[in-house]
């Protein structure tokens, strides 16, 4: 992983994306997530300004989150205030929702996201889920009767067109198993650069990490701390006794141990916090290391996926079981 310094004293490492457009900015390994339940736009905007002052440059959103417009407003404010020298210093990710995961809707959906964000281009555009639903529906969870299999080749070709048009510097996927990612790789002219998935010490996804590394796909972990306090989250990560023991031994927080573990495993991550102290704490993970014993202890933690997404499963839908949705990777 390369490093780049900004106005902050904290040096945030960056990773190049293998099939990004020429001259693209590398991706900072830590990003600020903007998915919140419910979303407090004012709090989010204040947090983004504070994050920029601390050295964050990667910001993650999605059409589903409802955070694109306020994020665009606050990034424009930061540029106007001189907190960021230019758009080129920022790395902005957004995602294609399932109702727009149809060949003729991908480019228009990205143009709408760009309008919301007041940007000319994204740095990274992801397919949010490996499933489509009826066009025009933006709620979650969807009615199971509205779900349908994705035409992966047609949708990916449209994603590639987004990059060719300069609307995004790179393209990727989210919540894709090894099998589904391998399917995209089998026909892609522009391979996906990133797979954003649930990952933390309680859901380590070793098989997926190895598969992505072998295929030059960068993993970005969402919910790296378990997304405690959200409707989809769990307290299990932050309350894990093994992680507590490591944190005490290192003089660090449990959050820092989790993020450092991901970093040492070659994983990038987006973490959501609108608290100034935690924003700063989450950046302070790059000047110390976990021990071999720490890694061994983490590897022994029992594994359990947090986001089973049973709402995507239906006897009449594209996935008949949770196991089929995740290709048995549970």
């Amino acid at each position: 992983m390369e490093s780049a310094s900004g106005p902050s004293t904290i040096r945030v490492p960056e990773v190049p994306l293998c099939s990004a457009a020429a001259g693209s900015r590398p991706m900072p390994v830590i990003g600020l997530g903007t998915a919140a339940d419910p979303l407090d736009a004012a709090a989010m905007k204040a947090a983004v300004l504070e994050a920029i002052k601390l050295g964050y440059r990667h910001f993650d959103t999605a059409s589903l989150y409802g955070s694109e417009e306020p994020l665009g407003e606050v990034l424009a404010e930061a540029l106007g205030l001189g907190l960021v020298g230019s758009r080129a210093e920022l790395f902005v990710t957004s995602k294609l929702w399932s109702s727009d995961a149809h060949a003729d809707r991908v480019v228009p959906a990205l143009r709408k996201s760009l309008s919301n964000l007041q940007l000319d281009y994204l740095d990274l555009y992801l397919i949010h889920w490996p499933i489509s639903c009826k066009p025009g529906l933006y709620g979650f969870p969807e009615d199971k009767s509205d779900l349908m299999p994705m035409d992966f080749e047609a949708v990916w070709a449209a994603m590639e067109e987004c990059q060719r048009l300069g609307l995004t510097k790179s393209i990727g996927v989210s919540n894709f198993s090894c099998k589904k990612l391998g399917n995209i790789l089998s026909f892609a002219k522009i391979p996906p650069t990133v797979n954003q998935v649930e990952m933390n010490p309680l859901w380590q996804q070793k098989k997926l990490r190895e598969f992505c590394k072998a295929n030059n796909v960068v993993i970005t972990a969402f919910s790296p701390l378990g997304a405690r306090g959200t409707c989809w989250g769990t307290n299990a990560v932050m309350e894990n006794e093994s992680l507590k023991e490591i944190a005490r031994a290192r003089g660090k927080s449990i959050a820092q141990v989790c993020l450092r573990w991901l970093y040492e495993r070659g994983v990038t991550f987006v973490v959501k916090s609108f608290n100034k102290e935690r924003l700063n704490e989450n950046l302070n993970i790059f000047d110390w290391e976990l021990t071999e014993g720490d890694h061994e202890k983490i590897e022994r933690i029992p594994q359990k996926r947090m986001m089973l997404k049973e709402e995507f499963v239906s006897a009449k839908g594209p996935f008949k079981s949770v196991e089929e949705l995740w290709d048995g990777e549970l």
Side-chain angles (χ1 to χ4, degrees):
M1 292 184 176
E2 302 167 356
S3 287
S5 60
S8 169
T9 57
I10 298 173
R11 295 177 62 85
V12 178
E14 301 179 333
V15 292
L17 300 179
C18 66
S19 56
S24 297
R25 186 203 195 295
M27 182 170 72
V29 301
I30 184 170
L32 180 65
T34 62
D37 178 39
L39 176 67
D40 182 335
M44 188 208 81
K45 291 165 76 170
V48 169
L49 286 177
E50 187 59 42
I52 288 173
K53 294 173 186 177
L54 291 169
Y56 286 81
R57 292 295 180 268
H58 180 185
F59 299 94
D60 181 272
T61 183
S63 59
L64 182 72
Y65 299 164
S67 59
E68 286 181 332
E69 287 193 29
L71 178 59
E73 291 168 3
V74 73
L75 292 180
E77 181 181 353
L79 286 163
L81 292 171
L83 298 179
V84 183
S86 70
R87 163 67 179 94
E89 292 183 23
L90 298 170
F91 191 101
V92 181
T93 298
S94 194
K95 307 177 191 77
L96 175 78
W97 185 238
S98 301
S99 57
D100 288 321
H102 304 272
D104 61 334
R105 297 181 67 90
V106 175
V107 171
L110 176 48
R111 291 191 188 278
K112 186 173 189 300
S113 287
L114 290 174
S115 176
N116 290 340
L117 287 159
Q118 302 179 44
L119 297 175
D120 295 325
Y121 67 90
L122 290 179
D123 296 277
L124 177 62
Y125 195 44
L126 305 176
I127 297 175
H128 206 149
W129 282 94
I131 191 169
S132 296
C133 69
K134 289 182 180 177
L137 304 175
Y138 293 96
F140 185 83
E142 303 97 330
D143 189 297
K144 291 182 179 181
S145 64
D146 294 326
L147 301 176
M148 60 189 68
M150 183 182 294
D151 183 341
F152 288 106
E153 290 197 45
V155 171
W156 190 253
M159 293 288 286
E160 292 174 329
E161 182 64 12
C162 289
Q163 183 166 328
R164 292 191 191 97
L165 290 170
L167 301 176
T168 182
K169 298 293 186 181
S170 54
I171 51 178
V173 296
S174 181
N175 298 297
F176 273 55
S177 64
C178 294
K179 181 178 179 180
K180 291 181 175 67
L181 181 56
N183 179 38
I184 296 287
L185 289 167
S186 71
F187 55 73
K189 294 180 175 63
I190 302 175
T193 58
V194 168
N195 187 14
Q196 186 178 125
V197 297
E198 176 193 346
M199 189 174 293
N200 54 60
L202 272 65
W203 188 240
Q204 299 177 22
Q205 303 225 62
K206 183 177 181 181
K207 177 183 175 184
L208 183 63
R209 283 190 280 121
E210 292 173 347
F211 182 84
C212 287
K213 183 177 180 180
N215 288 279
N216 295 314
V217 177
V218 173
I219 288 182
T220 297
F222 68 76
S223 300
L225 310 179
R228 181 171 62 175
T230 67
C231 64
W232 64 85
T234 175
N235 296 338
V237 176
M238 300 299 284
E239 294 177 358
N240 181 268
E241 289 302 322
S242 294
L243 296 175
K244 287 181 180 179
E245 290 172 8
I246 295 170
R248 284 193 294 267
R250 300 289 145 253
K252 304 296 180 181
S253 69
I254 295 172
Q256 287 175 315
V257 169
C258 292
L259 299 181
R260 181 69 199 188
W261 174 79
L262 287 165
Y263 177 63
E264 292 188 15
R265 287 291 178 251
V267 175
T268 66
F269 40 90
V270 291
V271 58
K272 198 280 296 183
S273 177
F274 296 166
N275 177 280
K276 178 179 178 179
E277 288 70 28
R278 287 195 290 271
L279 284 169
N280 187 53
E281 177 184 289
N282 292 341
L283 276 184
N284 281 279
I285 62 165
F286 301 116
D287 59 353
W288 57 278
E289 297 179 354
L290 296 169
T291 67
E292 184 177 341
D294 294 336
H295 281 285
E296 291 173 353
K297 185 174 290 188
I298 291 172
E299 287 178 3
R300 291 195 295 269
I301 294 175
Q303 296 295 290
K304 182 179 181 181
R305 182 186 292 276
M306 179 178 68
M307 297 185 72
L308 289 173
K309 287 302 169 192
E310 293 172 330
E311 54 267 47
F312 285 166
V313 174
S314 168
K316 296 182 179 180
F319 301 113
K320 307 299 188 294
S321 67
V322 171
E323 288 76 12
E324 185 180 355
L325 170 63
W326 296 115
D327 296 312
E329 296 173 19
L330 294 175

